[in-house]
Amino acid sequence: MNNAMNFSGGPGALPASVLRETRDAIEALPETGLSVLGMSHRSEWFRGVLDEAERNLRALLGIPAHYHVLFMQGGSSLQFSMLPMNFLRASGRHAEYIVSGYWSAKAPVEARLEGDTRVLWDGRAEGYRRLPAADELQLSQDAAYLHYVSNETVEGLEFAGTPGLPEVPLVCDMSSNLLAAPIDTERYAMIYAHAQKNLGPAGVTVVILRDEFARRAITGLPTLLDYRTHIAARSVYNTPPVFAIYVLMLVTRWLRDEVGGVEAMAAINRAKADALYGALDAEQGFYRVHGERSCRSTMNVAFRLPTPELEAHFLETARREGFHGLEGHRSIGGLRASLYNAVTLDAVNALSEWLGEFRRREG
């Protein structure tokens, strides 16, 4: 029951069937008789796991053959550095960044260590409550790349469209909404996502990289920080996070076989978001959603109550009622419900109903 009512921002909820299969695999995999925690990354079994995980991702997202799918480590934080190391340093060009929240603000800090970095738009002055309109971005045709975060988990903001110019490589951190809805992979030079939202447990980062873009990387990089190293080694240059990749494979099976694919998942996610925002909007004098309506995230719903004291009481009462992970991010406080793929519509409906009860009792 606790797992079913887990609204944590990350690591987030995992599907019940995946948790059961993972529990059994920790004791012994049916294929090998060994615990998944003790399986060699050089074994044929693990090569099969990597290959299936890649096949499933390609099928679910429509990833073309001229894109590489890499399983890496270090989360988005490492990608903030690796991206400019490979494609900005010594390029003779500048990189462009959209800063729309807590996480995207970290990316240009690392890029500035590697070369000319320009922030096209920064929502900090407005408290990161909205996303930029197209006419607010002064885009350059000669940029090395444009980087943005598709969904801001802290503030609960999500891009409805895709920014940028067709001729400029587009790079996106999709850590919190990859696999939540269909995407046009061909529009991107590179997509990356750490797993602990919709893909699986913490420890693995998926990188989807167009081959032509990968070949632009400079030479002379440290071996482990060169994307071409991981392409050549098929994600096994060093010891990968075997357990996390195994669970990611199970999650992609679940999404394919039990949910019916990414389009079906998107419809469920839309219903979840509509239910929760509807409950909050019904009590606007009591609950206040952080982001502007046009920019609201389907994955992360950030909101406030009239006072910090009432928020503390809300969290204490919610835990007693069986709702977990509703604390807001430390950077802005308040409250947050994350509606990742594994969070069921039943769980969201239960939370939505309880929000009304709490308002009537405490308002």
Side-chain angles (χ1 to χ4, degrees):
M1 186 62 182
N2 287 339
N3 285 323
M5 297 296 179
N6 179 11
F7 296 93
S8 171
L14 288 169
S17 60
V18 170
L19 286 174
R20 290 192 295 269
E21 195 163 354
T22 301
R23 175 198 62 198
D24 294 341
I26 288 175
E27 182 173 341
L29 288 159
E31 306 97 316
T32 69
L34 299 175
S35 169
V36 65
L37 300 179
M39 284 300 303
S40 169
H41 66 291
R42 300 293 180 187
S43 65
E44 290 185 11
W45 172 85
F46 183 61
R47 184 69 257 169
V49 168
L50 279 171
D51 290 345
E52 183 183 342
E54 178 176 344
R55 285 197 307 272
N56 292 349
L57 286 170
R58 286 186 182 276
L60 288 165
L61 294 171
I63 302 172
H66 59 279
Y67 281 75
H68 304 285
V69 178
L70 305 176
F71 299 96
M72 301 178 65
Q73 300 177 61
S76 289
S77 296
L78 180 58
Q79 296 304 312
F80 292 161
S81 297
M82 278 188 70
L83 170 66
M85 280 183 185
N86 280 259
F87 303 112
L88 177 59
R89 182 191 291 184
S91 69
R93 298 184 178 186
H94 70 278
E96 297 181 339
Y97 283 76
I98 297 171
V99 175
S100 54
Y102 176 87
W103 285 110
S104 56
K106 292 179 174 293
V109 174
E110 305 301 329
R112 290 189 183 102
L113 300 175
E114 306 298 334
D116 185 1
T117 301
R118 304 177 190 179
V119 174
L120 301 185
W121 188 86
D122 191 337
R124 184 187 302 272
E126 300 176 47
Y128 296 126
R129 295 183 183 277
R130 71 176 182 92
L131 297 172
D135 60 6
E136 294 181 277
L137 301 175
Q138 295 185 349
L139 301 161
S140 302
Q141 294 182 345
D142 60 347
Y145 59 82
L146 170 66
H147 177 278
Y148 79 110
V149 174
S150 56
N151 183 78
E152 294 283 0
T153 60
V154 173
E155 296 84 7
L157 304 175
E158 186 172 16
F159 278 84
T162 305
L165 300 172
E167 59 268 33
V168 174
L170 184 61
V171 178
C172 187
D173 178 351
M174 293 190 184
S175 291
S176 51
N177 63 352
L178 188 66
L179 292 182
I183 58 172
D184 180 8
T185 307
E186 289 269 27
R187 180 65 185 86
Y188 298 89
M190 176 173 151
I191 296 166
Y192 62 92
H194 55 244
Q196 63 265 27
K197 312 294 186 184
N198 285 319
L199 302 177
V204 61
T205 302
V206 171
V207 175
I208 302 167
L209 183 60
R210 186 189 296 149
D211 181 67
E212 181 274 331
F213 189 57
R215 287 188 273 110
R216 296 188 189 184
I218 68 165
T219 58
L221 291 167
T223 304
L224 199 60
L225 300 179
D226 189 326
Y227 289 109
R228 290 163 298 197
T229 298
H230 303 279
I231 292 170
R234 298 176 64 202
S235 298
V236 195
Y237 174 76
N238 64 329
T239 306
V242 173
F243 175 74
I245 295 171
Y246 171 73
V247 180
L248 182 151
M249 181 197 71
L250 296 182
V251 170
T252 60
R253 282 183 184 175
W254 166 81
L255 186 53
R256 179 194 65 196
D257 299 337
E258 297 187 40
V259 177
V262 175
E263 289 189 3
M265 190 75 256
I268 296 169
N269 286 332
R270 183 71 264 165
K272 292 188 298 187
D274 287 347
L276 188 54
Y277 283 119
L280 294 169
D281 290 341
E283 306 288 354
Q284 288 188 42
F286 189 70
Y287 298 112
R288 186 181 76 251
V289 176
H290 177 83
E292 290 186 5
R293 188 179 295 269
S294 62
C295 307
R296 287 178 175 181
S297 168
T298 57
M299 294 284 97
N300 310 97
V301 180
F303 60 101
R304 302 299 300 253
L305 291 177
T307 67
E309 293 75 19
L310 192 55
E311 289 173 351
H313 178 56
F314 175 96
L315 290 170
E316 179 183 353
T317 307
R319 282 190 290 268
R320 288 202 305 266
E321 294 292 329
F323 300 106
H324 302 275
L326 292 169
E327 301 85 354
H329 190 268
R330 62 186 180 278
S331 64
I332 65 171
L335 307 164
R336 176 177 58 172
S338 294
L339 312 181
Y340 300 133
N341 285 357
V343 177
T344 67
L345 180 56
D346 286 344
V348 176
N349 285 336
L351 175 61
S352 300
E353 183 177 347
W354 182 79
L355 288 172
E357 293 175 3
F358 185 84
R359 166 69 175 89
R360 288 187 291 274
R361 194 164 64 237
E362 304 293 341

